[in-house]
Amino acid sequence: MADATEYQLESGGGGKRLYTGPNAYVSANGNAYCAGNYRVRACNAGGCSSWSADHPVTRGVLSWD
């Protein structure tokens, strides 16, 4: 999404919101992110994009930029 100001991260299938904020990545250090499926969407002043497909993650850093 052009001019994204916020990203939202959820566990796969929309089970739980894990992150809302400006970063295009999040680290597992000190947070609840671990191996599993996640989805993300981008938001700006006009609204939010559709959720991405669920993606499997096996590392401690999630990046969607």
Side-chain angles (χ1 to χ4, degrees), residues 2-65:
D3 301 321
T5 57
E6 178 182 281
Y7 298 95
Q8 298 176 353
L9 174 72
E10 288 187 347
S11 57
K16 181 180 178 184
R17 180 71 53 89
L18 300 173
Y19 173 80
T20 299
N23 295 334
Y25 67 91
V26 291
S27 172
N29 187 19
N31 293 301
Y33 319 123
C34 59
N37 290 315
Y38 298 90
R39 67 183 191 169
V40 67
R41 69 179 176 179
C43 303
N44 63 20
C48 294
S49 67
S50 299
W51 287 103
S52 71
D54 288 356
H55 294 286
V57 174
T58 57
R59 294 181 297 169
V61 175
L62 309 179
S63 180
W64 47 83
D65 191 22

